[in-house]
């Protein structure tokens, strides 16, 4: 820390200098006390992720009914600020003030990460002057985020919510694809490690664990499919729901069978039902989330409609905007965002796709890597010779994550043309269903690619 502070005489002056330095200095200085031996690259990603989680927490608080009522006090946030096709209307949007607040918070977070994505384009090492903008000045970054958030709440209503909905749809779809890449990579890594343990240790115990986990995943998936047929379809009608469930069920059976074919096993020795069962379970979840957005009350018992009087139509009394698919989606969002921030993949192909290659980073703070002080390893700069991940791509991932959490917290609902009723559009249904198909096709490609492209290394 002495390199950051310089010589100081009075104790109190040194304490103040320390606080200012750690608030405006680099990531290792900020967290060296609580993250010993941590890499600069990891700490910076964690701090940006903390900003994203902080914005998510604020969004959750704003959508709580008690807090939602307090948003009436914001000037011009609701009454008389609507405009439909250029005609001013007197809009009473009291029933979805929390919805509008989450949209503005999502806009603020997206703008914040977009700003840093632009500022850090083509940064190659921490010696680049722009790298300091990414790895330091954390208190100033917090002030920038607060300033953008305050400004977002003064955006005139007009068509902002309607237009920003489509930005959220596109961004959420792209983030779901990133989730799928991470999930498939996690499934393959999980299976490889357990099979490696089979060769090195208690074979019967590890095989039993593999079979148990696989059975639980498939049993849960089957039970979920039965419940989807029971609650989201009817003997007459609900054709779309029946088609979506049936198509995804057939596709899941196909990828499960393909994963254990002899030729696939020969080309991919670690391929098996564990990965297929995890992908199947996630696909069924996405199908459930899609059916929860079907805008037909008869085919969607969890459909929620709120109008300008604040009335609600649902199978249960309205407490918050969250339903069960949204809660599961929030958990998956947190896990995937932490995965992006904390580690690289075990597979070079995934690292190349996600632009994260820890092995390509510089040696660190000196010849010995981590700086040592009194025998204690301290946080250090491991990117002097080259960055260990693409700064711009990382910020774009957080931008997409901000849009995804915005859509998740609002259940993918949007106001109608009169800006007085929130409804669930078919757009949300098709985006989620298409993402489930994309995930299954992507997993199927990881199975057959070694057979179709024998000259390439997929190890």
């Amino acid at each position: 820390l002495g390199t950051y502070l310089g010589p100081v005489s009075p104790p109190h002056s040194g304490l103040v200098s320390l606080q200012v330095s750690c608030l405006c200095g680099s990531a290792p200085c900020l967290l060296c006390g609580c993250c010993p031996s941590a890499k600069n690259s990891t700490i910076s990603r964690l701090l940006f992720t903390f900003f994203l989680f902080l914005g998510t927490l604020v969004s959750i608080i704003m959508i709580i009914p008690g807090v939602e009522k307090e948003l009436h006090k914001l000037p011009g946030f609701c009454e008389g600020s609507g405009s439909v096709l250029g005609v001013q209307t007197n809009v009473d949007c009291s029933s979805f003030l929390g919805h509008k607040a989450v949209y503005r918070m999502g806009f603020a977070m997206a703008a914040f990460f977009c700003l840093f994505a632009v500022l850090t384009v083509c940064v190659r090492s921490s010696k680049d002057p722009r790298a300091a903008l990414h790895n330091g000045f954390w208190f100033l970054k917090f002030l920038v985020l607060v300033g953008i958030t305050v400004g977002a709440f003064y955006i005139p209503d007009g068509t902002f919510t309607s237009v920003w909905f489509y930005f959220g749809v596109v961004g959420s779809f792209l983030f779901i694809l990133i989730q799928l890449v991470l999930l498939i990579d996690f499934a393959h890594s999980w299976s490889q490690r357990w099979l490696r343990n089979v060769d090195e240790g208690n074979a019967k115990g590890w095989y039993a664990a593999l079979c148990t986990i696989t059975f639980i995943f498939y049993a849960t998936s089957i039970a979920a499919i039965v419940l989807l047929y029971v609650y989201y379809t009817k003997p007459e009608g609900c054709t779309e729901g029946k088609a979506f469930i049936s198509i995804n069920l057939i596709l899941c059976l196909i990828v499960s069978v393909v994963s254990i074919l002899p030729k696939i096993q020969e080309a991919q020795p670690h391929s098996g039902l564990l990965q297929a069962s995890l992908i199947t379970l996630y696909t069924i979840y996405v199908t459930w989330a899609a059916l929860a957005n079907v805008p037909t009350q008869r085919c969607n018992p969890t459909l929620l409609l709120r109008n300008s009087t604040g009335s609600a139509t649902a199978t249960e009394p309205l407490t918050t905007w969250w339903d069960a698919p949204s809660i599961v989606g929030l958990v998956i969002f947190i896990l995937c965002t932490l995965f992006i921030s904390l580690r690289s993949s075990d597979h070079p192909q995934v690292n190349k796709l996600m632009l994260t290659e820890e092995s390509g980073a510089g040696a660190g703070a000196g010849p010995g890597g981590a700086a040592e002080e009194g025998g204690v390893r301290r946080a250090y700069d491991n990117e002097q010779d080259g960055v260990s991940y693409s700064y711009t791509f990382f910020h774009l991932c957080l931008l997409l994550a901000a849009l995804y959490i915005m859509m998740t917290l609002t259940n993918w609902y949007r106001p109608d043309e009169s800006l007085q009723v929130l409804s669930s559009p078919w757009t949300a249904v098709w985006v989620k269903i298409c993402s489930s198909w994309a995930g299954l096709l992507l997993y199927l490609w990881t199975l057959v690619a070694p057979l179709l492209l024998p000259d390439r290394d997929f190890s």
Side-chain angles (χ1 to χ4, degrees), residues 228 231-234 236-241 291-292 294-303 426:
L228 291 180
Y231 288 100
Y232 290 93
T233 64
K234 299 294 180 182
E236 297 181 0
C238 303
T239 306
E240 297 87 355
L291 295 176
V294 172
T296 306
Q297 186 75 48
R298 182 170 178 269
C299 303
N300 180 10
T302 60
L303 182 66
W426 276 105

Side-chain angles (χ1 to χ4, degrees), residues 101-438:
V102 171
Y103 265 47
R104 279 159 172 76
M105 193 67 216
F107 173 83
M109 290 191 293
F112 176 77
F113 293 120
C114 181
L115 172 64
F116 282 95
V118 173
L119 291 176
T120 56
V121 171
C122 296
V123 173
R124 301 302 182 189
S125 78
S126 62
K127 297 177 181 178
D128 190 312
R130 290 175 298 153
L133 297 175
H134 176 82
N135 294 316
F137 304 102
W138 296 102
F139 183 68
L140 297 180
K141 288 175 185 175
F142 176 74
L143 294 181
V144 170
L145 178 58
V146 172
I148 296 176
T149 302
V150 173
F153 278 85
Y154 285 92
I155 297 176
D157 198 11
T159 57
F160 169 78
T161 303
S162 301
V163 173
W164 192 241
F165 169 82
Y166 290 102
F167 278 91
V169 167
V170 175
S172 299
F173 177 76
L174 295 177
F175 186 73
I176 290 174
L177 294 183
I178 293 175
Q179 283 184 339
L180 291 167
V181 172
L182 298 177
L183 181 69
I184 293 172
D185 173 55
F186 172 75
H188 282 298
S189 299
W190 186 1
S191 178
Q192 287 182 11
R193 292 185 180 183
W194 279 25
L195 290 176
R196 192 180 303 124
N197 291 335
V198 168
D199 297 332
E200 297 175 355
N202 183 6
K204 291 184 178 180
W206 286 108
Y207 271 127
L210 275 170
C211 294
T212 301
I213 295 298
T214 302
F215 173 78
I216 291 175
F217 284 166
Y218 274 123
T220 305
S221 300
I222 293 172
I225 290 173
V226 172
L227 292 175
L228 291 180
Y229 274 118
V230 171
Y231 288 100
Y232 290 93
T233 64
K234 299 294 180 182
E236 297 181 0
C238 303
T239 306
E240 297 87 355
K242 295 176 182 176
F244 292 151
I245 300 172
S246 301
I247 290 174
N248 281 357
L249 173 59
I250 294 172
L251 292 177
C252 289
L253 289 175
I254 290 175
V255 297
S256 297
V257 172
V258 170
S259 67
I260 56 175
L261 291 177
K263 288 188 176 181
I264 298 295
Q265 289 287 315
E266 182 179 350
Q268 294 266 43
H270 294 101
S271 173
L273 291 177
L274 177 63
Q275 301 99 307
S277 64
L278 181 59
I279 299 301
T280 296
L281 184 61
Y282 182 80
T283 300
I284 300 305
Y285 155 70
V286 176
T287 307
W288 174 35
L291 295 176
N293 278 108
V294 172
T296 306
Q297 186 75 48
R298 182 170 178 269
C299 303
N300 180 10
T302 60
L303 182 66
L304 174 67
L305 295 177
R306 298 180 70 175
N307 56 33
S308 59
T309 63
S311 62
T313 305
T315 56
E316 296 180 0
L318 176 64
T319 54
T320 67
W321 269 107
W322 314 322
D323 56 5
S326 297
I327 295 174
V328 176
L330 179 61
V331 173
I332 295 175
F333 153 78
I334 293 174
L335 295 177
C336 287
T337 307
L338 289 175
F339 189 94
I340 294 172
S341 303
L342 288 175
R343 66 178 293 268
S344 294
S345 170
D346 293 332
H347 300 279
Q349 297 292 338
V350 177
N351 280 332
K352 188 177 296 184
L353 177 64
M354 299 298 293
L355 303 181
T356 56
E357 300 186 29
E358 291 287 354
S359 59
E372 296 191 9
E373 182 178 327
V376 179
R377 294 170 62 86
R378 294 296 184 185
Y380 65 100
D381 181 4
N382 65 313
E383 298 183 309
Q384 291 185 2
D385 296 331
V387 296
S388 61
Y389 62 100
S390 169
Y391 292 173
T392 297
F393 185 78
F394 172 72
H395 288 297
L396 289 178
C397 286
L398 294 189
L399 186 157
L400 298 178
L403 295 177
Y404 173 80
I405 199 62
M406 178 187 77
M407 301 302 294
T408 299
L409 292 179
T410 57
N411 286 356
W412 297 64
Y413 285 19
R414 71 176 181 190
D416 65 355
E417 289 75 10
S418 66
L419 300 180
Q420 294 184 337
V421 177
L422 277 178
S423 59
S424 179
W426 276 105
T427 305
V429 179
W430 281 106
V431 166
K432 294 179 181 180
I433 287 295
C434 289
S435 68
S436 69
W437 295 340

